[in-house]
Amino acid sequence: DRLHLSFAERAKVAKNPVAAQLFQIMATKETTLCLAADVTDATALLNLAEQAGPHICALKTHIDIVDDFHRNLITPLQEIAKRHNFVLFEDRKFCDIGKTIELQYSKGMYKISSWAQLVTAHALLGKGVLDVIKKAEGLEKRGVFLLAEASCSGTLIDAKYSKSTLKMAEEYPDLVTGIVCQSPMFLNNPGLIQLTPGVQIDIKADDVDQQYNSPESVVIEKGCDIAVVGRGITKAADTAVAAEKYKKILWDAYLQRIKK
Ligand code: 6AU
C-alpha cells in the first residue's frame, strides 16, 4: 500500500505530472520537506528560498501577504527553484464558483497560473474549481492539492466532508497532486501525495489555533508524505541549519516507515 512503497516506485504510478515530478525530486534530493515561506517582505522570501532551497522539495507561499510584491519577484524566485530543484506552490485555498476561480488563478496582480505549478483548493463548492484550473491558461504541468482536513482546532470539516473530498480527488487523477490532511484517512492511492501541515519540533501550538505534531509522528503515525513546516524554520536563528534538521528527521522517519 501507499505507506510502504518508496517514492521512486510511486513516481511510476502518479497520474498527475507534478506528483510524478515531486516524487522524483523527493527520491533524488532525499527530502519530504515543504517550507511554508510565510514572510511579508520580498527580499526575505528570496533569502528563505535560497537558504532552504537545497533541503526542500517545494516552497509554499502565501503571495498575498508580501507587502512589497511586484511582478519582478517571480523571475528570481523561479530561478532559485530551478537551480535548487524544488516546486513553487501557492497556497491560495481557492473556494468560489468556477468562473471566479478562473480569474483568481490567472488574472490580477499575482497571475498565479503563470508561475505556481501547485495550488491548494477547497472542495466545498464542488468540482468547478478543478474544471477551471484544468482548462485555464498557464503552466503546462500543474497540480492541485485539495484540503480534506485542517490542522487547526475548531475546524468545521468533518469525516463525511473529508471522504467526499477524497472522492472528488479520485475523479481528477490527471490534475490532483494530492490531499492536505492530518491522518492517512482513506488515501490508499499510491499516486497521490499526502501533504501534512502543523509540524514543529519545539512547540505544540501557537497563540491562535494552530496545533503541531512532531515530524516523526506525522510521517510514521499519520501517513504524511510531504510535511509543511513554516515557523519551525522561518523563526529559527539559521534557516539552512533548521531546514536541514527537519529534512533529516523527516527522511529518517520515511525510511523507517517503508521498512515496516
Ligand atoms: O508551520 P506554520 O504553522 O508556521 O505554518 C503552517 C502553514 C501555513 C498554513 O496556511 C498552512 O501551513 N496550513 C494548511 C495548508 C498548507 O493548506 C492547512 C492546514 O490545515 N493548516 C495549515 O497550517 O502556511
Side-chain angles (χ1 to χ4, degrees):
D1 66 320
R2 168 176 76 93
L3 298 173
H4 298 96
L5 284 173
S6 72
F7 296 137
E9 288 167 298
R10 291 171 62 185
K12 294 180 210 152
V13 295
K15 299 214 166 65
N16 170 252
V18 189
Q21 184 185 345
L22 271 174
F23 280 130
Q24 265 147 19
I25 294 173
M26 289 152 80
T28 54
K29 279 179 84 174
E30 303 197 340
T31 182
T32 63
L33 176 62
C34 168
L35 174 64
D38 296 340
V39 287
T40 57
D41 178 83
T43 305
L45 178 57
L46 292 174
N47 286 338
L48 273 180
E50 187 66 70
Q51 285 154 19
H55 308 296
I56 59 177
C57 60
L59 183 87
K60 192 178 77 58
T61 49
H62 285 296
I63 205 67
D64 56 353
I65 67 173
V66 177
D67 285 326
D68 53 342
F69 176 83
H70 186 281
R71 284 293 304 167
N72 291 347
L73 171 62
I74 297 303
T75 307
L77 201 55
Q78 284 178 310
E79 185 276 319
I80 297 168
K82 195 172 175 199
R83 183 156 40 80
H84 290 300
N85 193 24
F86 62 78
V87 171
L88 294 178
F89 179 4
E90 169 57 19
D91 190 3
R92 178 61 181 75
K93 295 193 181 69
F94 291 108
C95 190
D96 213 313
I97 58 162
K99 190 68 203 173
T100 301
I101 293 171
E102 184 186 318
L103 297 168
Q104 290 172 326
Y105 182 54
S106 299
K107 303 292 181 185
M109 194 160 49
Y110 303 116
K111 306 197 190 328
I112 295 167
S113 69
S114 73
W115 57 271
Q117 277 197 286
L118 288 171
V119 294
T120 47
H122 289 288
L124 186 66
L125 272 64
K127 289 173 192 168
V129 59
L130 297 177
D131 290 327
V132 298
I133 292 177
K134 195 170 167 161
K135 279 190 289 188
E137 57 187 84
L139 300 176
E140 198 196 323
K141 268 194 192 176
R142 63 185 75 173
V144 178
F145 275 96
L146 283 179
L147 196 112
E149 276 181 334
S151 61
C152 47
S153 56
T155 171
L156 301 184
I157 293 177
D158 61 14
K160 184 164 169 264
Y161 179 86
S162 301
K163 214 171 168 176
S164 306
T165 302
L166 232 118
K167 191 165 160 266
M168 195 195 286
E170 299 277 4
E171 286 167 30
Y172 290 75
D174 55 340
L175 181 66
V176 173
T177 306
I179 301 292
V180 184
C181 59
Q182 295 292 317
S183 66
M185 299 206 304
F186 311 96
L187 183 57
N188 296 321
N189 183 338
L192 289 174
I193 297 175
Q194 178 178 332
L195 184 91
T196 302
V199 180
Q200 196 165 163
I201 295 168
D202 300 315
I203 59 167
K204 286 268 154 256
D206 69 5
D207 56 1
V208 192
D209 51 7
Q210 179 70 299
Q211 308 174 112
Y212 292 111
N213 290 297
S214 72
E216 295 92 339
S217 86
V218 291
V219 174
I220 294 166
E221 289 153 34
K222 297 177 191 296
C224 162
D225 295 316
I226 295 181
V228 175
V229 181
R231 285 163 286 180
I233 292 171
T234 59
K235 301 286 184 202
D238 188 320
T239 304
V241 169
E244 187 170 15
K245 177 173 159 187
Y246 275 93
K247 170 182 75 172
K248 283 193 171 139
I249 298 172
L250 288 164
W251 190 255
D252 286 345
Y254 154 74
L255 291 178
Q256 200 181 317
R257 184 178 85 192
I258 60 169
K259 247 190 250 157
K260 278 184 186 164

